[in-house]
Amino acid sequence: MMILVKGGTFEMGSPTGMADERPVHTVTLDDFYMDEHVVTQSEWKKIMGANPAYFSSNPKKGESQIKRPVEHISHYDALVYCNKRSIAEKLKPCYVIGGEDDPKKWGAIPDEQNIKWDTVECRWNVNGYRLPTEAEWEYAARGGIHNGQKKAAKDADENRSWNKNNSNNMSHAVCLKNASILGFYDLFGNVWEWCWDWYDCYKIGEFTNPRGAERTADNTDRIGRGGAWNAASSDCSPCFRNCGSPAARYNFIGMRVVRSKK
């Protein structure tokens, strides 16, 4: 199920967090839809035909294996999933590589960083699935127009996220922790979530619908947000930033999809 996140203006970043969470800057976003939970292994297999997850067996007693998050997926894998799911549901795909929006025409998914895939374009004005921008993710995690700062902080408490203190070194089925103020599950902990943006330092200013830094020789990693089963509880927060190579597959990074409101 997708949840409508009403657009608005918020202060992104933290004045007291890590250095890359500063400077705090003003961001305004349009409405968007975000999935209530991260993509599960069964949802991934339905679209992609196979389950790549590292944690593909032996769930915690009483938990559903198929409802555990998919992980061990690269950012490139996520692009393919988004477009394939869009096509399967007769929506307009967002991502374009080499002038094509059909992943069948993109060739094999690279196992190493690839400039062709790094220059992927996103059609922001279509109705298909895509990864959230970093700003969209943080806005949703903070509670959107509710400005739920205190509530968001409580959501990131170790008792509300699967982190290294309570995960037993594994992922867990989605939707077992309490929902966030907007109704989202597992925003904090369980698996990090790929975002669209290239990782770079924040800039001072006011921004509308920011889509992150450009890919440069120095900016070669994509953003991940939210913390994971192996993260410190303090990293499972609305502001903490992580990143990784778009070609890398980690057993602690998954994804959540969004759609532009059209």
Side-chain angles (χ1 to χ4, degrees):
M1 182 182 78
M2 303 203 86
I3 296 171
L4 174 64
V5 180
K6 296 290 292 182
T9 300
F10 76 111
E11 298 302 304
M12 184 171 177
S14 170
T16 59
M18 303 295 288
D20 65 354
E21 296 171 26
R22 302 188 290 272
V24 175
H25 51 290
T26 302
V27 171
T28 300
L29 296 173
D30 293 334
D31 297 353
F32 61 96
Y33 293 95
M34 178 180 274
D35 224 344
E36 69 172 353
H37 59 72
V38 291
V39 175
T40 64
Q41 294 178 24
S42 62
E43 289 171 332
W44 182 274
K45 186 174 181 180
K46 178 181 177 181
I47 297 299
M48 302 291 281
N51 178 15
Y54 175 84
F55 295 108
S56 59
S57 62
N58 299 317
K60 182 179 178 180
K61 186 176 180 180
E63 293 186 18
S64 169
Q65 174 63 44
I66 63 174
K67 290 186 178 180
R68 295 172 87 178
V70 72
E71 24 74 15
H72 207 247
I73 58 170
S74 69
H75 198 275
Y76 298 151
D77 293 326
L79 301 177
V80 173
Y81 173 84
C82 286
N83 273 27
K84 282 192 170 184
R85 182 169 166 181
S86 297
I87 291 169
E89 297 183 21
K90 296 181 170 53
L91 302 173
K92 187 73 172 176
C94 290
Y95 297 122
V96 178
I97 296 178
E100 301 287 349
D101 63 11
D102 184 351
K104 293 179 181 178
K105 299 179 180 179
W106 293 352
I109 301 173
D111 292 323
E112 298 180 349
Q113 194 139 12
N114 181 288
I115 191 62
K116 177 183 175 182
W117 285 65
D118 284 355
T119 52
V120 57
E121 299 175 13
C122 182
R123 296 189 291 212
W124 302 97
N125 61 343
V126 301
N127 63 358
Y129 294 102
R130 57 178 176 82
L131 294 171
T133 65
E134 186 178 17
E136 287 173 333
W137 190 96
E138 182 168 325
Y139 180 66
R142 286 176 173 274
I145 57 174
H146 297 284
N147 196 25
Q149 302 300 309
K150 293 182 179 179
K151 177 64 164 61
K154 290 181 180 178
D155 286 341
D157 179 85
E158 67 179 65
N159 295 317
R160 291 174 173 264
S161 69
W162 294 114
N163 59 73
K164 70 177 184 179
N165 295 337
N166 60 12
S167 69
N168 201 28
N169 293 315
M170 67 172 71
S171 70
H172 292 267
V174 300
C175 302
L176 295 180
K177 296 291 187 179
N178 290 344
S180 75
I181 190 171
L182 295 181
F184 295 110
Y185 292 92
D186 298 282
L187 273 171
F188 307 116
N190 215 354
V191 292
W192 293 94
E193 302 176 24
W194 284 118
C195 294
W196 163 259
D197 308 43
W198 294 102
Y199 176 82
D200 196 6
C201 298
Y202 288 152
K203 303 294 190 295
I204 297 173
E206 299 183 7
F207 305 91
T208 299
N209 296 320
R211 285 148 191 173
E214 296 294 319
R215 201 290 202 186
T216 68
D218 295 321
N219 298 336
T220 60
D221 287 342
R222 295 280 194 176
I223 285 287
R225 285 300 204 107
W229 57 267
N230 61 348
S233 59
S234 58
D235 295 350
C236 302
S237 79
C239 302
F240 191 88
R241 309 174 76 205
N242 198 0
C243 63
S245 165
R249 297 180 175 98
Y250 307 92
N251 64 4
F252 48 83
I253 300 185
M255 65 178 291
R256 184 187 306 257
V257 294
V258 304
R259 291 175 60 192
S260 298
K261 186 184 177 185
K262 298 298 173 188

